[in-house]
């Protein structure tokens, strides 16, 4: 099947959500799916519908809300099993454009130890289950799992059988991130040259990053005929993660002269090679990080804090003379505006709303009022309020789960000759105030202990980090935390010029999510899972 551009298949909500310690509730998945649609991905793999009622609901909600006529294709993963495929078909039904993605392993090691089936059996199952999926959806994707370690000739026969049964996309996963670019490119070329009906399907690739080669392998696959890449925001995913969406998209953008001829275009064509709106990249990265609690390393390509920073004197000198001396792309291309001063303390609600629109935020009146009050507070404390500050306020104010507890006040006494002591006052959903105090090993510990005296939700703090939003002594600090409760992880996030306040609010954010999950057991993926499907979360 000819494709004159690259399809971007985002699996942040499925493979990305399989990152160790990452759980998103339904509201968070929906928020991220909306942003992925604004980003312009072709396909959103919204989850694994059969894995649990929570996963099913999330896929269905994304299909209903984001799967509009001009929206992306909404996809659910399904093992090559009838029950899985039926659940996937049912969950994606509300979407205007939908896809079932079914898979079965093809490597001998998986066949022998995991599936305990022969090659012939798996070949038949692949054909039968693609045909079964086809009875529910026109758009069916098939993946031979662990293709990277599969015998090439057997792989070709499975792919051929899947296409004959109706698969419109065949996705070749390097499930364990084992291959080098040359090997993976040869594997894709081998499929193109040896699968007789390959012209009836799009070749897709799905690379894991165990050896740090996921992006390189995916690009090599494009060189050899792949026309869809499966990837995630910030490269999150199982183990070392997946191919990173922002790196792929920017490689295709910055090096379009290299890729254009592969798509039959003149070298100097400026027509984008994929439909992603690059100006939404930074915002999507921030949102994914805030919601999942998975921080982006500072030196991460494209979206890391240092990606556009120049430290060495020689580099700075060069950039001042001509940016192109040391920069291959403009930060504005990914939506990272210069840290410009947009508003001050005299700016009114209208100016604030207009700036939010320019940053592509549409808030309802309640959220807008809250965000505006926070902006005013910040503008009183901080001389200059930048776009980054505004993004941090928005990330902080949009709470996707009901607030069972809200921070009314926090006060701390600490210092080298003081015992760190915190007093906190919380207000519950009924408006009842409760105050308590505790002593801790440090100010944050004291605050968390005081909160624990009011909210009785056992948990273990497994990650705590503070980053500054902008430069300068008056910068806001962003706190991201993760807590564990009975093998499930909940993240919390908050930004404030006072990092103790941010720490308290981040903790409450995580506890509110935990409380929400306990009150709505199907709301978080993995909850009440079909045991064998959850155990096998791909
Ligand atoms: O890594 C993998 O093989 C997968 C498949 C389900 C595509 O995630
Ligand atoms: Zn995967």
């Amino acid at each position: 099947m000819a494709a004159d551009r690259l399809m971007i298949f985002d699996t942040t909500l499925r493979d990305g959500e399989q990152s160790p310690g990452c759980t998103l509730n339904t509201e968070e998945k929906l928020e991220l799916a909306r942003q992925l649609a604004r980003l312009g991905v072709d396909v959103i793999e919204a989850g694994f519908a059969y894995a649990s009622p929570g996963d099913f609901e999330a896929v269905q909600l994304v299909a209903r809300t984001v799967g509009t006529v001009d929206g992306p294709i909404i996809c659910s993963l399904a093992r090559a099993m009838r029950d899985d495929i039926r659940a996937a078909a049912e969950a994606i039904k509300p979407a205007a454009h939908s896809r079932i993605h079914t898979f079965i392993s093809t490597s001998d090691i998986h066949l022998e130890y995991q599936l305990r089936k022969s090659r012939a059996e798996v070949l038949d199952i692949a054909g039968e289950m693609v045909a079964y999926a086809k009875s529910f959806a026109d758009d069916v994707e098939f993946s031979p799992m662990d293709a990277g370690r599969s015998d090439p000739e057997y792989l070709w026969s499975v792919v051929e059988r899947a296409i004959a049964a109706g698969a419109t996309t065949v996705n070749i996963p390097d499930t364990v991130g084992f291959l080098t670019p040359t090997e993976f490119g040869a594997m894709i070329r081998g499929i193109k040259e040896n699968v007789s009906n390959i012209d009836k399907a799009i070749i897709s690739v799905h690379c894991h990053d165990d050896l740090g080669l996921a992006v390189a392998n995916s690009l090599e696959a494009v060189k050899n005929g792949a026309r869809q890449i499966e990837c995630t925001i910030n490269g999150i995913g199982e183990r070392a993660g997946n191919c990173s969406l922002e790196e792929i998209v920017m490689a295709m953008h910055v090096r379009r002269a290299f890729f254009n001829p592969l798509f039959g275009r003149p070298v100097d064509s400026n027509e984008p090679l994929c439909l992603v709106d690059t100006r939404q990249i930074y915002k999507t990265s921030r949102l994914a990080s805030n919601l999942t609690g998975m921080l982006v390393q500072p030196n991460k390509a494209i979206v890391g804090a240092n990606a556009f920073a120049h430290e060495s004197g020689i580099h700075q000198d060069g950039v001042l003379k001509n940016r192109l001396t040391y920069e291959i792309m403009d930060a504005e291309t990914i939506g990272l505006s210069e840290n410009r001063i947009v508003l001050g303390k005299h700016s009114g609600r209208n100016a604030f709303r207009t700036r939010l629109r320019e940053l592509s935020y549409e808030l309802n009146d309640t959220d807008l009022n809250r965000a505006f009050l926070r902006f005013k507070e910040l503008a009183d404390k901080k001389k200059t309020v930048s776009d980054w500050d505004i993004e941090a306020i928005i990330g902080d104010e949009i709470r996707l789960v009901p607030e069972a507890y809200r921070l009314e006040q926090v006060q701390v006494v600490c210092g080298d000759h003081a015992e760190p002591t915190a007093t906190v006052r919380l207000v519950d959903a009924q408006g009842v105030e409760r105050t308590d105090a505790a002593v801790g090993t440090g100010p944050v510990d004291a605050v968390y202990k005081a909160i624990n005296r009011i909210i009785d939700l056992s948990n273990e703090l497994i990650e705590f980090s503070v980053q500054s939003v902008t430069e300068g002594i008056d910068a806001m600090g962003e706190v991201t935390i993760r807590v564990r409760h009975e093998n499930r992880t909940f993240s919390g996030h908050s930004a404030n010029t006072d990092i103790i306040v941010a720490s308290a609010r981040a903790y409450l954010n995580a506890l509110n999510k935990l409380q929400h999950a306990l009150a709505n057991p199907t709301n978080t993926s993995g909850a009440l899972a079909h045991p064998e499907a959850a155990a096998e979360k791909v």
Side-chain angles (χ1 to χ4, degrees):
M1 200 181 276
D4 57 1
R5 66 174 177 86
L6 184 68
M7 306 256 302
I8 298 293
F9 177 115
D10 181 276
T11 182
T12 309
L13 297 177
R14 199 277 297 169
D15 212 321
E17 211 235 359
Q18 288 173 217
S19 306
C22 165
T23 8
L24 293 170
N25 60 39
T26 308
E27 293 80 2
E28 291 168 326
K29 284 191 172 179
L30 184 60
E31 184 72 12
L32 202 45
R34 286 194 165 114
Q35 180 55 27
L36 290 171
R38 282 191 283 268
L39 179 66
V41 303
D42 295 283
V43 187
I44 295 178
E45 186 163 55
F48 180 3
Y50 186 73
S52 74
D55 282 277
F56 182 91
E57 256 174 40
V59 177
Q60 196 175 46
L61 189 63
V62 170
R64 190 178 306 129
T65 318
V66 183
T68 56
V69 176
D70 23 294
I73 297 169
I74 308 298
C75 171
S76 171
L77 186 68
R79 290 170 301 174
M81 293 180 174
R82 282 174 199 273
D83 288 350
D84 274 49
I85 292 171
R86 263 199 311 277
E90 188 59 29
I92 57 174
K93 226 186 230 165
H97 312 283
S98 56
R99 174 180 297 186
I100 297 175
H101 175 192
T102 188
F103 71 96
I104 190 163
S105 290
T106 49
S107 65
D108 287 336
I109 185 165
H110 281 210
L111 261 58
E112 186 178 346
Y113 294 101
Q114 204 177 9
L115 298 180
R116 296 181 203 284
K117 292 198 188 309
S118 67
R119 285 187 179 187
E121 283 173 306
V122 166
L123 181 65
D124 286 343
I125 293 171
E128 280 161 25
M129 290 303 111
V130 168
Y132 187 59
K134 200 72 186 178
S135 70
F136 296 103
D138 289 336
D139 188 344
V140 173
E141 174 170 324
F142 171 75
S143 291
M145 183 145 102
D146 204 15
R149 292 187 300 171
S150 301
D151 170 62
E153 292 191 10
Y154 176 60
L155 179 65
W156 302 336
S157 63
V158 177
V159 169
E160 198 162 73
R161 183 73 72 91
I163 297 173
T168 39
T169 301
V170 283
N171 176 50
I172 309 303
D174 183 16
T175 303
V176 290
F178 179 68
L179 296 182
T180 64
T182 311
E183 290 168 324
F184 195 57
M187 173 167 275
I188 302 305
R189 200 167 53 251
I191 289 171
K192 255 198 106 83
E193 287 170 359
N194 295 288
V195 173
S196 66
N197 51 5
I198 196 66
D199 58 324
K200 298 196 169 52
I202 299 255
I203 302 180
S204 165
V205 290
H206 177 111
C207 297
H208 278 271
D209 209 29
D210 299 67
L211 295 174
L213 295 171
V215 170
N217 282 350
S218 303
L219 293 176
E220 193 62 23
V222 169
K223 229 173 101 188
N224 286 283
R227 289 296 175 263
Q228 174 179 283
I229 292 185
E230 300 202 353
C231 44
T232 59
I233 303 299
N234 301 333
I236 62 172
E238 191 73 43
R239 304 182 311 279
N242 287 68
C243 174
S244 136
L245 180 146
E246 56 279 5
E247 292 177 29
I248 286 294
V249 169
M250 288 311 288
M252 301 296 291
H253 177 76
V254 172
R255 300 304 312 279
R256 51 192 182 276
F258 176 84
F259 290 103
N260 275 335
L262 300 169
F263 289 80
R265 300 179 184 190
V267 172
D268 56 357
S269 166
N270 273 329
E271 201 191 324
L273 284 159
C274 66
L275 297 184
V276 166
D277 176 358
T278 60
R279 287 159 310 160
Q280 293 288 332
I281 285 180
Y282 182 68
K283 191 168 164 204
T284 316
S285 161
R286 289 281 309 227
L287 182 67
S289 171
N290 289 351
L291 295 180
T292 59
M294 310 247 334
L295 295 174
V296 174
Q297 81 207 49
N299 61 328
K300 162 90 176 60
I302 317 294
V303 289
N306 296 348
F308 294 92
H310 300 279
E311 188 67 21
S312 116
I314 296 176
H315 287 211
Q316 285 174 354
D317 176 59
V319 166
L320 285 174
K321 288 173 177 150
N322 179 343
R323 296 195 85 89
L324 297 180
T325 51
Y326 289 97
E327 275 185 11
I328 58 165
M329 56 195 151
D330 183 346
E332 295 214 5
T333 316
I334 63 157
L336 190 61
S337 57
E338 292 285 321
N339 190 14
R340 67 196 162 103
I341 301 153
V342 285
L343 299 168
K345 69 179 187 177
H346 300 299
S347 307
R349 186 185 304 264
N350 253 347
F352 183 65
R353 190 203 296 262
T354 306
R355 188 64 202 138
L356 286 182
R357 286 216 176 109
E358 283 163 10
L359 293 169
S360 22
Y361 288 108
E362 277 299 336
L363 301 194
N364 63 33
D365 284 348
T366 319
D367 286 340
L368 179 72
N369 285 344
R370 284 167 59 151
F372 184 65
L373 285 179
R374 284 288 306 279
F375 158 71
K376 280 292 195 191
E377 259 172 52
L378 184 65
D380 271 341
K381 287 187 191 146
K382 213 171 169 272
K383 278 203 215 105
T384 58
V385 178
S386 69
D387 284 353
W388 293 356
D389 293 317
I390 292 182
E391 301 241 8
I393 292 177
I394 301 300
D396 202 33
E397 279 308 317
I398 303 176
R399 293 294 182 216
L400 297 172
V401 296
E403 287 189 288
Y405 289 94
R406 184 168 55 75
L407 182 72
E408 180 68 12
Q409 198 182 1
V410 56
Q411 248 183 335
V412 166
V413 178
C414 64
D416 57 357
H417 294 293
E419 246 192 310
T421 311
T423 309
V424 295
R425 182 175 308 143
L426 307 184
V427 182
D428 70 15
Q430 285 71 44
V432 179
E433 279 185 9
R434 288 193 53 196
T435 305
D436 218 318
V439 170
T441 51
V444 174
D445 185 47
V447 169
Y448 285 17
K449 285 195 168 125
I451 291 176
N452 287 343
R453 288 174 64 86
I454 300 175
I455 306 178
D456 184 19
L457 281 177
S458 70
N459 72 83
E460 185 194 347
L461 181 68
I462 52 173
E463 198 172 308
F464 176 91
S465 96
V466 191
Q467 286 181 325
S468 87
V469 174
T470 53
E471 287 165 7
I473 194 72
D474 59 357
M476 281 205 280
E478 255 184 321
V479 175
T480 306
I481 66 155
R482 286 202 277 173
V483 301
R484 190 185 292 130
H485 170 86
E486 292 175 359
N487 284 333
R488 285 163 67 192
T489 310
F490 299 86
S491 65
H493 177 265
S494 185
N496 201 288
T497 45
D498 184 322
I499 59 163
I500 299 297
V501 176
S503 304
R505 286 174 56 103
Y507 189 46
L508 280 175
N509 182 216
L511 293 185
N512 282 328
K513 287 187 196 174
L514 164 50
Q515 172 86 32
H516 185 59
L518 294 177
N520 304 273
T522 62
N523 181 272
T524 308
S525 49
L528 301 181
H530 289 276
E532 83 290 11
E536 213 177 308
K537 265 205 147 185
V538 207

